[in-house]
Amino acid sequence: MQSHTLLGLAAALTLACGTAQAAKIELVVDYPYADVFNTVHAEIARRFNEKYPDYTVKFRAPTTEYETAAQQALRHAVTGQLADVSYQGLNRQRVFVDRDIAVDLTPFIQAEPDWAASGYSPALLSLGQVNGKQVGIGFSLSTPIVYYNMDLISRAGGDAKALPKTWDEIIALADRSRQANPGTNGLHYDWEITGNWLWQAMLFSKGGQLLSADEKTVAFDGDLGRESIAQMGRMVENGTMQNLKFKDAVQLFVTGKLAVLSTSTSRLASIEKQIGGKFPMVTGFFPTYGEQARVPAGGNVAMMFAKDPERQKAAWAYIKFATGPEGATIMTQGTGYFPANTLPIDDPAMLKGYYDANPNQYTAVRQQPWLTGWYAFPGENGLKITDVIHDHLQTVFDRSAQPQTALQDMSRDVQKLLK
């Protein structure tokens, strides 16, 4: 009798252990930009596992940039190796919708009883919407901003409380700084970042658009496009901006040899760390012009690629945690990005005190009224179009082509790829 009882108990324990093991799901997650996100993702995963002990997170080796992340995921879709959750650039979501890889998150959102109070505003959610589907939830968001070395700028008559409002004013201030500080550079505009983000920013900030409403015709070659490319030309025509790679320009900036740098808020934490106490640095708005002005959001969203229902359940729990108040606080404090969740921004226990103590980080948050989507080009040639734009912008900044000629060539080549 006792042996039967022991056998029954052993069988029950075996069954219980088997059930526990079955409930243990290891989520596969991939993301780009190791130098920015390694520590952040590791901490989010650790805290997620504490809250959800039946789930663990396995990270793949990070990719180097958004374009590489998208290409890797497309290869994995062919070989059946897709991650359960993938962090993709805002402008790369579309390709996964076109290929039926992305999972529509709308049913998961609709099943949440208190979603309206979860901190996901319609405007921020819209950044993860493609063709009427909610395919991404914002994780880390950025905007282009302008960084100023106030040691150099103040010697040229600049004032942190009255920063320039237009690009021509910025160029003029950068030139005065070069004169007042011999041996230093004036300006660097990070036009290369992701191929065309700061081209979009320059165009959108004037109320322009990239393509026609039906996306069949180039629209950036009109008056606003011509003014945008001319503005870029004015940055380099008198030597205000040198033809430097970003890594060289940022090295000049953090060592006090460059007056003005325009790039993403995502660089802020790294730049501040490298500057240390060498000089005071302030950030200012990306210049905008008129009521139709917009600034494209950069950054990435969490996308679900898992197809198995149980893995989808785990993936949704992870996405909610990573993009929710706790994950957003970890991400913001560890990078220069701002969150796509509104709850931690005004919470003293999360980011309210942090932004009070770090006003340079708050600049991007204050630009939210001008925020618009990071445009993704349609069709099979979407990634190629980005490369074409990059190559033609290069000719403006290395002065191998006149700005208007570069724009005409860019328009012609993009139009071919649209067809």
Side-chain angles (χ1 to χ4, degrees):
M1 185 75 173
Q2 188 175 14
S3 62
H4 287 299
T5 303
L6 290 172
L7 286 171
L9 180 59
L13 286 171
T14 301
L15 180 61
C17 290
T19 303
Q21 289 172 352
K24 193 86 170 178
I25 291 179
E26 183 181 64
L27 286 169
V28 178
V29 178
D30 60 25
Y31 64 90
Y33 295 114
D35 56 332
V36 177
F37 289 114
N38 270 355
T39 303
V40 165
H41 280 303
E43 179 62 12
I44 289 174
R46 185 186 68 79
R47 295 202 202 176
F48 172 75
N49 187 230
E50 289 177 353
K51 186 173 182 179
Y52 296 92
D54 281 347
Y55 303 145
T56 58
V57 178
K58 177 184 178 181
F59 291 115
R60 286 188 174 148
T63 46
T64 55
E65 57 187 1
Y66 293 137
E67 288 67 33
T68 311
Q71 290 163 355
Q72 174 181 272
L74 292 175
R75 289 195 300 272
H76 286 165
V78 174
T79 59
Q81 296 174 293
L82 278 169
D84 297 303
V85 175
S86 184
Y87 290 89
Q88 294 288 336
L90 289 173
N91 68 327
R92 296 303 174 210
Q93 298 171 88
R94 183 172 186 160
V95 68
F96 300 108
V97 176
D98 292 345
R99 289 165 171 75
D100 199 30
I101 295 170
V103 174
D104 187 357
L105 301 175
T106 304
F108 297 90
I109 291 173
Q110 292 174 341
E112 292 289 330
D114 57 350
W115 184 257
S118 298
Y120 299 96
S121 72
L124 292 174
L125 278 176
S126 71
L127 300 177
Q129 294 168 1
V130 179
N131 297 339
K133 296 180 179 180
Q134 186 75 50
V135 295
I137 303 292
F139 174 63
S140 57
L141 300 180
S142 64
T143 62
I145 58 172
V146 185
Y147 299 68
Y148 297 90
N149 176 327
M150 290 314 301
D151 266 357
L152 301 182
I153 291 300
S154 61
R155 295 188 199 118
D159 185 347
K161 295 182 179 179
L163 295 173
K165 291 182 168 54
T166 69
W167 278 112
D168 284 341
E169 291 174 356
I170 291 173
I171 291 171
L173 179 60
D175 279 335
R176 292 200 303 273
S177 176
R178 286 195 301 156
Q179 296 167 10
N181 303 281
T184 65
N185 286 30
L187 165 70
H188 185 81
Y189 187 75
D190 187 15
W191 66 272
E192 285 189 284
I193 190 170
T194 72
N196 76 138
W197 189 51
L198 282 186
W199 165 242
Q200 293 192 24
M202 186 66 76
L203 185 67
F204 294 167
S205 71
K206 301 176 188 302
Q209 59 187 47
L210 288 164
L211 301 182
S212 60
D214 62 7
E215 298 189 315
K216 293 181 179 179
T217 308
V218 166
F220 58 70
D221 55 354
D223 290 344
L224 295 175
R226 286 192 288 273
E227 170 51 31
S228 295
I229 204 81
Q231 184 68 77
M232 291 178 165
R234 289 198 290 276
M235 293 177 178
V236 297
E237 65 183 0
N238 295 316
T240 310
M241 174 176 164
Q242 304 298 313
N243 182 31
L244 300 173
K245 291 293 184 182
F246 176 77
K247 64 181 180 64
D248 298 319
V250 78
Q251 190 61 30
L252 286 175
F253 187 75
V254 301
T255 55
K257 299 296 184 181
L258 175 67
V260 183
L261 174 68
S262 182
T263 186
S264 170
T265 51
S266 66
R267 317 272 204 195
L268 183 55
S270 173
I271 287 174
E272 287 186 322
K273 182 178 180 181
Q274 292 178 74
I275 290 172
K278 290 193 286 289
F279 59 86
M281 186 269 288
V282 300
T283 61
F285 290 153
F286 190 90
T288 54
Y289 306 79
E291 294 183 1
Q292 302 303 313
R294 295 291 181 267
V295 177
N300 58 73
V301 296
M303 304 185 76
M304 184 189 297
F305 292 163
K307 296 298 190 286
D308 174 77
E310 285 302 309
R311 299 192 75 80
Q312 286 184 342
K313 180 182 176 182
W316 178 240
Y318 174 74
I319 289 172
K320 283 193 303 176
F321 184 82
T323 65
E326 190 169 348
T329 299
I330 295 168
M331 181 280 300
T332 302
Q333 292 178 346
T335 71
Y337 289 92
F338 65 93
N341 191 292
T342 60
L343 293 183
I345 292 175
D346 296 315
D347 188 335
M350 293 186 175
L351 293 177
K352 179 65 169 67
Y354 177 76
Y355 279 130
D356 289 343
N358 296 273
N360 280 334
Q361 295 235 9
Y362 200 53
T363 299
V365 178
R366 292 167 59 210
Q367 285 192 156
Q368 284 192 50
W370 297 280
L371 213 59
T372 191
W374 185 2
Y375 187 76
F377 289 96
E380 295 291 327
N381 290 324
L383 294 175
K384 178 63 176 174
I385 288 173
T386 297
D387 292 338
V388 165
I389 290 174
H390 172 279
D391 292 345
H392 285 298
L393 290 178
Q394 173 70 68
T395 67
V396 176
F397 288 98
D398 66 19
R399 303 184 68 181
S400 62
Q402 290 297 312
Q404 300 308 323
T405 302
L407 183 67
Q408 292 169 11
D409 293 344
M410 186 197 305
S411 175
R412 177 199 65 218
D413 291 347
V414 170
Q415 188 64 54
K416 290 178 182 177
L417 291 170
L418 288 175
K419 292 178 181 179

